[in-house]
Amino acid sequence: MNYRELLQKYKAGELPEEQRKQVRQDIEKQDAISEYLFDNEEMEFEEQVEQDGGQTTESTDGSVPKDGQNVTIVGAAVPKDGQRTHVIEGTVPKDGQEAEFTKLIRRAIRRTFIKYGVITGVIVIGIVCFLVFALPKIQDAMYYDPNKIVGTEEGNKTNQLSLDISVYSELFLPENYRDSAAATGSGYGNYDIVINQTSSHNGIFEYVGGRIAKNDMVLYNPNIVQKPFSNVFYPPSEMTTASAATPEGIAGTKKEVFDELSKLEDEKMYHAYVSLDKVYSFSEFKALAEKNDLEPTWCAISVKNKDQTESKYTTYNIGNIGFRMYTSCSSLAFDQKKYPLLTAFSLAEQESAKKNVLEEKDVTKHMTSMLQYLQDNDDIVKMIENDQGTGKTDYASVIDSIQKDGLHIYGYYVEDIGKELKKLKDIGNVSYVYTTEMI
């Protein structure tokens, strides 16, 4: 019976107790030898031979060694007198063949190291693949993702940044409305971005590049998201207290601004912030615009103040906010059930808008949807207003007032040539006009 058969009988429990004990010792010895060979790359077998004082013989054919020979068994126990020894692997060395035996053991060591090297290599490759492919995506999920698809309509997909910048710029940036953006991710919450301009009154399109790094936005032209000065409009009496009333606005007195208005070049384009003599309801303002052939680009709204001991109307410290009228814009897809008429395009698609007569119910939906959207998705506000934020904005109060009391307008912004803007001084309902040249 060879040793392999002996092992099979051992596993099957068919050996007598004494042989079972012997095989168990053999297995323990083999484990010890394997562990020793793995932990010690260089084995000094020659030194061991000298200590034994004789020839080392390894049996493979089951023969009993001659007297005076020392036997080294690989995978088997040292034989007793008269026992046949079965060795799993190896060759029988003749006199002076210790070097061959050493080579055999070192070959076994190399195989062991190759095996563990392959295992280690697979583990290292797995870790590297995780770091290169999986970890960036995991980290991206923790931060603002400008490429997240927020809506699909007729095959056109809208990414997060395009919708966010559309809502934010319409509410707060009369001069710099944007409704298109693209981003290229570089992993770990980092993106290179471009904010596109899709419409222009002077034929000049300004595309702005930048970067979003872990919810921090840096634009290479930050002026594109700079809000207009808070006092570009001269507030009517209903929006001021007695202590806050002033005879001058951002560009001086009313007489001074109208004198400057007369000096505008007829064919040059200007930005103009037009203040009204009072707060008008939406229907009153629409009638005023139709009567005087006014075509506002953007209207500034206010809401009724809860504490009317201060002023009758307010913007609750949000600043100048409003909506766009009769201007070109891009089609964006979004959750229309949650945010009805969210975008300028969706408002412009209404039948009333197509006839250049916006309905208050449509504009009310549009305004409240924009405010609700920013309340639910304020990452864009935090990124843009990082160095000019004023804390959590009370959009809910503005939404509540608009829904209860309607829209109220105290001024508007328009982009027009000087010849047309000069006519504003002859409209009795206009109290102030602040203009800057369009570059």
Side-chain angles (χ1 to χ4, degrees):
M1 176 178 8
N2 61 35
Y3 205 80
R4 187 179 301 277
E5 293 171 343
L6 193 66
L7 285 174
Q8 293 294 333
K9 287 183 175 292
Y10 171 79
K11 289 191 287 185
E14 298 174 356
L15 292 178
E17 181 58 30
E18 184 177 348
Q19 282 187 298
R20 286 177 58 82
K21 184 177 180 181
Q22 184 64 49
V23 173
R24 194 158 47 245
Q25 290 175 351
D26 292 348
I27 293 172
E28 291 174 356
K29 183 177 292 185
Q30 174 66 19
D31 288 342
I33 290 172
S34 298
E35 183 177 353
Y36 181 80
L37 291 176
F38 181 77
D39 291 338
N40 298 274
E41 181 178 0
E42 296 295 335
M43 302 290 293
E44 299 296 339
F45 292 100
E46 293 82 1
E47 181 180 346
Q48 184 63 42
V49 170
E50 291 176 3
Q51 291 176 358
D52 291 340
Q55 185 181 4
T56 300
T57 302
E58 183 178 359
S59 175
T60 58
D61 60 359
S63 62
V64 180
K66 297 178 181 180
D67 293 341
Q69 288 183 324
N70 293 318
V71 181
T72 300
I73 306 296
V74 179
V78 177
K80 298 181 180 179
D81 292 341
Q83 284 186 319
R84 297 178 64 82
T85 302
H86 302 275
V87 182
I88 294 176
E89 60 178 321
T91 60
V92 180
K94 298 179 180 180
D95 294 343
Q97 288 186 327
E98 289 87 351
E100 182 67 24
F101 179 70
T102 301
K103 185 185 296 184
L104 174 67
I105 297 302
R106 286 178 176 171
R107 189 181 301 122
I109 293 173
R110 284 197 299 273
R111 284 198 300 268
T112 301
F113 272 99
I114 289 172
K115 179 180 71 174
Y116 283 97
V118 170
I119 294 172
T120 302
V122 170
I123 293 173
V124 170
I125 291 173
I127 293 173
V128 170
C129 289
F130 172 78
L131 293 175
V132 173
F133 299 107
L135 185 59
K137 293 181 179 179
I138 293 172
Q139 285 227 348
D140 283 345
M142 298 169 58
Y143 298 104
Y144 178 84
D145 181 3
N147 283 327
K148 178 182 177 182
I149 301 302
V150 294
T152 302
E153 187 175 286
E154 296 180 355
N156 295 323
K157 296 180 179 180
T158 298
N159 64 41
Q160 185 79 58
L161 184 56
S162 292
L163 189 60
D164 286 355
I165 200 68
S166 168
V167 174
Y168 182 88
S169 63
E170 180 174 0
L171 273 172
F172 299 112
L173 309 176
E175 296 183 20
N176 294 309
Y177 175 68
R178 299 290 188 272
D179 56 10
S180 175
T184 302
S186 53
Y188 305 102
N190 297 320
Y191 301 87
D192 294 312
I193 64 172
V194 176
I195 299 176
N196 308 310
Q197 183 175 359
T198 57
S199 62
S200 171
H201 276 79
N202 60 356
I204 298 175
F205 292 81
E206 183 176 9
Y207 299 85
V208 179
R211 184 168 178 77
I212 294 176
K214 297 180 175 62
N215 289 21
D216 287 329
M217 178 186 285
V218 176
L219 295 178
Y220 304 137
N221 179 8
N223 291 331
I224 203 70
V225 292
Q226 183 67 46
K227 292 180 180 180
F229 296 111
S230 60
N231 59 344
V232 289
F233 292 108
Y234 188 89
S237 58
E238 297 99 321
M239 294 182 64
T240 59
T241 61
S243 59
T246 172
E248 294 188 5
I250 188 173
T253 64
K254 180 177 180 179
K255 180 180 184 305
E256 289 172 334
V257 296
F258 281 131
D259 287 344
E260 288 298 317
L261 200 62
S262 300
K263 300 176 184 178
L264 300 181
E265 296 183 32
D266 286 349
E267 301 304 322
K268 184 170 285 189
M269 290 290 296
Y270 295 89
H271 304 285
Y273 290 85
V274 182
S275 301
L276 301 174
D277 60 337
K278 68 173 187 175
V279 176
Y280 287 80
S281 68
F282 182 85
S283 59
E284 289 173 336
F285 176 74
K286 187 166 68 171
L288 176 66
E290 291 173 355
K291 177 182 177 181
N292 295 281
D293 293 325
L294 304 177
E295 295 185 356
T297 303
W298 181 89
C299 296
I301 71 160
S302 62
V303 294
K304 285 190 175 180
N305 197 345
K306 295 177 181 177
D307 182 7
Q308 296 201 6
T309 59
E310 293 292 325
S311 61
K312 187 175 181 181
Y313 294 94
T314 182
T315 58
Y316 289 118
N317 297 320
I318 295 178
N320 298 308
I321 63 171
F323 62 93
R324 295 178 70 79
M325 295 180 67
Y326 314 128
T327 55
S328 60
C329 44
S330 300
S331 174
L332 298 172
F334 56 91
D335 186 343
Q336 298 187 30
K337 291 183 179 179
K338 192 171 184 179
Y339 308 108
L341 302 184
L342 175 63
T343 65
F345 184 85
S346 62
L347 179 64
E349 284 293 285
Q350 300 306 299
E351 288 301 320
S352 60
K354 291 178 181 179
K355 299 175 182 178
N356 284 345
V357 184
L358 285 173
E359 295 292 338
E360 183 171 5
K361 63 180 180 62
D362 293 333
V363 180
T364 298
K365 280 184 183 179
H366 179 54
M367 277 299 305
T368 55
S369 289
M370 288 195 294
L371 293 166
Q372 185 64 54
Y373 181 85
L374 284 191
Q375 182 166 283
D376 298 340
N377 304 271
D378 63 349
D379 284 340
I380 188 67
V381 180
K382 292 176 181 177
M383 289 191 295
I384 291 177
E385 299 182 4
N386 184 46
D387 60 346
Q388 51 180 307
T390 57
K392 189 69 175 178
T393 303
D394 187 9
Y395 296 117
S397 294
V398 181
I399 293 171
D400 182 64
S401 179
I402 291 174
Q403 291 175 334
K404 289 181 179 179
D405 306 313
L407 293 166
H408 297 85
I409 298 171
Y410 59 91
Y412 67 91
Y413 164 82
V414 65
E415 298 167 350
D416 213 335
I417 58 175
K419 181 171 61 176
E420 295 299 321
L421 294 177
K422 290 177 182 178
K423 299 177 182 178
L424 295 174
K425 66 182 187 311
D426 298 323
I427 300 175
N429 307 90
V430 173
S431 64
Y432 204 85
V433 182
Y434 170 63
T435 60
T436 58
E437 186 177 331
M438 186 178 293
I439 300 175

